[in-house]
Amino acid sequence: IISGGAFQGYEELESVTLPSTLEEIGGQAFYGCSKLASPITLPSSVKIKGQSAFDSCSSLTYVNIDTYLDSYTFNNCPNIATLIIGKHCTSFGHQCFYYGIKGTITVDPENTYFSVVTGCLIYNNRLYLGTPSATIPSGVKMIYEGAFRGLTNFTGNITIPSSVTTIESRAFNGTGITSFSTNDTMTSFNSNIIGDCQNLLSVYIGKAITSFDTYDGYWPNVTSIVVNSENTTYDSRENCNAVISTISNQMIKGCTTTVIPSSVTSLDSDCFTKCNIQNIIIPDSVTSFGDTTFMDSGLQSITIGTGVTQIPERCFQSCTSLTSIDLPDNVTLIDGGSSDYYGAFNSCTSLTTVTIGTGVTSIEDYAFNNCTSLSSVTIKATTPPTLGGSNVFKNNASGRKIYVP
């Protein structure tokens, strides 16, 4: 027996030989052994008792299994290139693998549960894992979370077959795909399914999507977003290259070429987070931004209309290409959040000049923290705004000046 946590965190462990008499491996037994690279063979006589036995063993490349795997057994093992599944392996626990297989998957022909179809590991019409050469077979109903994750050489234009009703989180995250189209039968979609795909340029959202989640799903280089014109929940009106909630007029997701229509009233959090958009105009119809709306984006310039009254925490955090900002007279609050990490303009390291309009009444602590190039701040308000603390302009350029009426 190898007890749970026996080698957990042994980062220098490079090789292990599992004895033929081994009967049990406990949870987290080899968790975090990031240099462990020797082939792992788990025969039917070995039982995995507990979660995450080989979780975060990022150097593993060869896995041969013929037994049940508990949840997270090979979670966060992104470099497995050879996966062999024996005849006694009949199921996996939750998120047993969370990255695609970089080479090949082989299943024992006597295994009546799993099969390999066009490079995909299939079980009961569910796609568990993919490989770089895979195509998604028709008849598949579900694509599991992380099925193709991290396969940068899984490329091309992906159109989801009409049989698919569910795609779980991060299924194609970090792949090399260039375009992605949902089908017209799926009803829900999370942008992290195709998040962090550096080559992804175009996205099509089908007519049946009624739930669109943007949590942790970043589209850095997308240039085209189209929503099916028959979709009654979301739209991409006026060819704006964005996803807009039809009823609320909130922009949910934008891209590098988005033009905001004058009918839009708000921008959701994560709308442009980590997006390489460079310039944007905010129409007067927009009254609010979400937290992190432009965080870590490639924004170089922005024109903000007269509708916005508050700049929320982290809204422009780490916009390292933004060189100047002019906040109009209608802005009353610039938020700083709860710590030095949450300021509205925290770590905008290229920001040199800031102009704040006449309406500002409050600038919260850390709002302009770590703006290391900021040398000039002009505040037009005749009544000085309340400052949330002594760190509003912490870590600015040496000699930074603040101009007031």
Side-chain angles (χ1 to χ4, degrees):
I1 294 174
I2 299 177
S3 302
F7 297 95
Q8 181 176 355
Y10 279 41
E11 295 183 2
E12 299 305 314
L13 182 65
E14 297 181 1
S15 178
V16 63
T17 301
L18 301 177
S20 59
T21 55
L22 182 65
E23 297 179 354
E24 180 180 313
I25 299 177
Q28 298 186 330
F30 295 93
Y31 184 100
C33 294
S34 58
K35 293 184 179 180
L36 180 60
S38 58
I40 299 298
T41 298
L42 302 174
S44 59
S45 57
V46 176
K47 306 303 178 187
I48 306 297
K49 295 290 186 70
Q51 301 179 355
S52 302
F54 294 90
D55 194 330
S56 300
C57 293
S58 55
S59 296
L60 286 181
T61 61
Y62 179 98
V63 173
N64 187 333
I65 55 177
D66 198 21
T67 187
Y68 170 76
L69 301 182
D70 207 336
S71 299
Y72 308 104
T73 299
F74 291 99
N75 182 49
N76 290 321
C77 296
N79 292 306
I80 297 175
T82 301
L83 174 62
I84 300 173
I85 298 176
K87 65 181 180 180
H88 298 105
C89 181
T90 59
S91 64
F92 296 153
H94 174 70
Q95 204 170 303
C96 188
F97 296 88
Y98 201 30
Y99 282 86
I101 302 303
K102 287 190 170 182
T104 60
I105 304 173
T106 304
V107 176
D108 190 297
E110 295 185 39
N111 190 313
T112 58
Y113 294 88
F114 288 104
S115 62
V116 177
V117 181
T118 60
C120 301
L121 182 65
I122 306 295
Y123 172 85
N124 194 24
N125 292 322
R126 291 173 285 183
L127 195 162
Y128 269 84
L129 289 167
T131 60
S133 62
T135 57
I136 303 170
S138 59
V140 167
K141 296 180 179 179
M142 173 185 287
I143 301 176
Y144 267 69
E145 55 189 337
F148 292 88
R149 186 183 184 197
L151 297 182
T152 56
N153 51 350
F154 178 73
T155 61
N157 305 317
I158 303 303
T159 298
I160 301 301
S162 59
S163 58
V164 175
T165 58
T166 303
I167 304 177
E168 294 190 329
S169 65
R170 296 178 176 84
F172 298 91
N173 186 280
T175 60
I177 62 175
T178 53
S179 73
F180 184 89
S181 299
T182 73
N183 57 36
D184 285 326
T185 56
M186 293 171 53
T187 59
S188 64
F189 186 77
N190 190 318
S191 61
N192 71 24
I193 289 171
I194 49 174
D196 298 320
C197 295
Q198 299 299 318
N199 298 328
L200 182 64
L201 299 177
S202 65
V203 178
Y204 168 85
I205 304 299
K207 65 182 180 182
I209 299 293
T210 57
S211 173
F212 191 104
D213 189 350
T214 62
Y215 174 72
D216 201 26
Y218 310 122
W219 300 353
N221 298 311
V222 170
T223 59
S224 172
I225 301 176
V226 175
V227 179
N228 187 299
S229 59
E230 296 181 39
N231 191 309
T232 58
T233 305
Y234 301 104
D235 64 77
S236 51
R237 67 192 69 166
E238 300 176 32
N239 297 316
C240 63
N241 286 318
V243 180
I244 299 171
S245 172
T246 302
I247 294 177
S248 69
N249 292 313
Q250 181 181 59
M251 183 170 285
I252 305 296
K253 194 67 176 175
C255 69
T256 60
T257 61
T258 294
V259 177
I260 303 175
S262 59
S263 54
V264 170
T265 58
S266 63
L267 305 183
D268 195 13
S269 296
D270 296 334
C271 188
F272 293 98
T273 305
K274 296 186 180 181
C275 171
N276 288 323
I277 189 170
Q278 296 182 355
N279 309 292
I280 197 165
I281 296 174
I282 309 300
D284 295 343
S285 60
V286 174
T287 59
S288 66
F289 298 148
D291 295 350
T292 73
T293 292
F294 294 98
M295 187 175 79
D296 286 326
S297 71
L299 202 63
Q300 297 177 6
S301 68
I302 182 171
T303 300
I304 300 176
T306 59
V308 175
T309 59
Q310 298 184 2
I311 309 298
E313 63 181 40
R314 297 190 295 170
C315 187
F316 293 93
Q317 179 179 305
S318 298
C319 289
T320 56
S321 297
L322 187 65
T323 58
S324 64
I325 189 76
D326 189 342
L327 299 179
D329 294 340
N330 43 288
V331 172
T332 60
L333 170 68
I334 305 172
D335 205 349
S338 57
S339 73
D340 60 357
Y341 179 74
Y342 289 94
F345 293 91
N346 180 62
S347 297
C348 291
T349 52
S350 296
L351 191 64
T352 59
T353 60
V354 172
T355 302
I356 303 172
T358 59
V360 65
T361 59
S362 179
I363 306 176
E364 296 299 314
D365 217 14
Y366 301 109
F368 293 93
N369 180 49
N370 283 329
C371 294
T372 52
S373 298
L374 184 58
S375 59
S376 173
V377 179
T378 300
I379 302 175
K380 295 180 179 180
T382 54
T383 301
T386 300
L387 301 183
S390 59
N391 301 303
V392 171
F393 298 102
K394 183 180 179 181
N395 294 331
N396 291 171
S398 176
R400 181 257 302 130
K401 300 182 183 301
I402 299 177
Y403 301 94
V404 295

